[in-house]
């Protein structure tokens, strides 16, 4: 489990970077609303973390398992992350509403939201999305 936690954290750092870059690009360069941009940055970050978690973090759990639909797995992952994402977004929105929309505040909101959602996301990934089934090795 220690290996999984470490790689989950690596995936989270990658997801955080994707989240911030997409958020700042949509807000700063395209002029999107800060809340709508955060929804899109979250989906981009979740997809990036799914790729790392699928390929590295939980790969041993998938070894020898029956092949599953990639789209189905991504859909389950995104569904699981949506709850963590809702917690993440609520924290982000509270910080932005209270402190404003300056770039540093937006980044701080992403940091705080990410911290809140991370434990839930790990547990749902480990025990639902990438869980070993009883008929698997």
């Amino acid at each position: 489990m220690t290996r999984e936690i470490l790689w989950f954290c690596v995936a989270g750092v990658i997801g955080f970077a994707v989240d911030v870059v997409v958020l700042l690009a949509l807000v700063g360069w395209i002029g999107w609303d800060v809340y709508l941009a955060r929804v899109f940055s979250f989906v981009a970050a979740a997809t990036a973390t799914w790729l790392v978690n699928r390929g590295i973090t939980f790969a041993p759990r998938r070894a020898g398992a029956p092949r599953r639909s990639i789209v189905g797995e991504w859909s389950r992952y995104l569904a699981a992350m949506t709850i963590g994402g809702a917690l993440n977004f609520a924290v982000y929105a509270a910080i932005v509403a209270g402190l404003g929309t300056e770039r540093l505040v937006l980044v701080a909101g992403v940091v705080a939201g990410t911290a809140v959602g991370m434990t839930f996301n790990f547990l749902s990934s480990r025990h639902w999305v990438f869980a070993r089934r009883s008929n698997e090795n």
Side-chain angles (χ1 to χ4, degrees):
M1 188 154 117
T2 301
R3 178 196 168 283
E4 289 178 348
I5 292 171
L6 290 173
W7 275 107
F8 193 82
C9 289
V10 169
V13 168
I14 292 167
F16 172 78
V18 169
D19 203 342
V20 169
V21 167
V22 171
L23 176 69
L24 294 179
L26 292 175
V27 170
W29 297 337
I30 300 175
W32 281 24
D33 173 77
V34 295
Y35 301 105
L36 178 62
R38 186 67 211 286
V39 171
F40 281 87
S41 71
F42 168 77
V43 172
T47 301
T49 61
W50 170 70
L51 289 168
V52 174
N53 287 326
R54 179 178 207 280
I56 300 171
T57 308
F58 299 109
R61 295 177 143 280
R62 298 175 63 247
R67 289 193 174 254
R68 297 181 189 145
S69 161
I70 289 174
V71 172
E73 184 181 86
W74 179 81
S75 298
R76 281 191 309 278
Y77 186 81
L78 194 57
M81 297 304 104
T82 298
I83 296 170
L87 295 170
N88 185 325
F89 186 82
V91 171
Y92 168 82
I95 288 172
V96 170
L99 300 176
T101 60
E102 293 78 25
R103 283 185 179 194
L104 235 47
V105 171
L106 298 179
V107 173
V110 172
V111 169
T114 299
V116 169
M118 190 171 207
T119 299
F120 178 85
N121 290 344
F122 175 78
L123 294 173
S124 63
S125 292
R126 187 170 201 274
H127 296 290
W128 182 50
V129 179
F130 301 108
R132 291 186 178 162
R133 307 294 186 254
S134 59
N135 63 342
E136 295 176 6
N137 297 336

